[in-house]
Amino acid sequence: MRAGLGLTQEEFGRRFGYSQDAVAKWEGGQVPHALVLREIAATAARPTTVDWLVAARAKDSEALTPDERFLLKCFRDLDKRRPELARDLLSLFSDLAEERKSRRYQKR
């Protein structure tokens, strides 16, 4: 997507408040923060959704399971009906992921 916009990693990262290194990690397989995915989807040149971004990433590694597709559909519906709740859920999932990551580093 970044290359399609004609942006360098640094330019793309700056657009969302991240470094070139962060964008390189995203392109290398690390998934960005859920709120960043939402912002990227909202500012894309063509109509794009978070589920499209996630599904596009999944195509690179593995297909989404039926449960994952169901969750993406539910989130998309929720985002249309109650965007504030969708933002809260994204924040919660992000916090949980950070907590899990922190615990993993503490075990090392």
Side-chain angles (χ1 to χ4, degrees), residues 1-8 11-12 15-16 40 43-46:
M1 182 173 165
R2 170 193 62 79
L5 295 171
L7 298 173
T8 65
E11 293 166 334
F12 191 79
R15 184 178 273 193
F16 301 103
I40 291 170
T43 61
R46 62 181 186 169

Side-chain angles (χ1 to χ4, degrees), residues 25-40:
K25 288 178 184 177
W26 300 344
E27 292 179 355
Q30 187 178 62
V31 178
H33 186 283
L35 295 174
V36 175
L37 283 172
R38 191 165 186 214
E39 189 174 350
I40 291 170

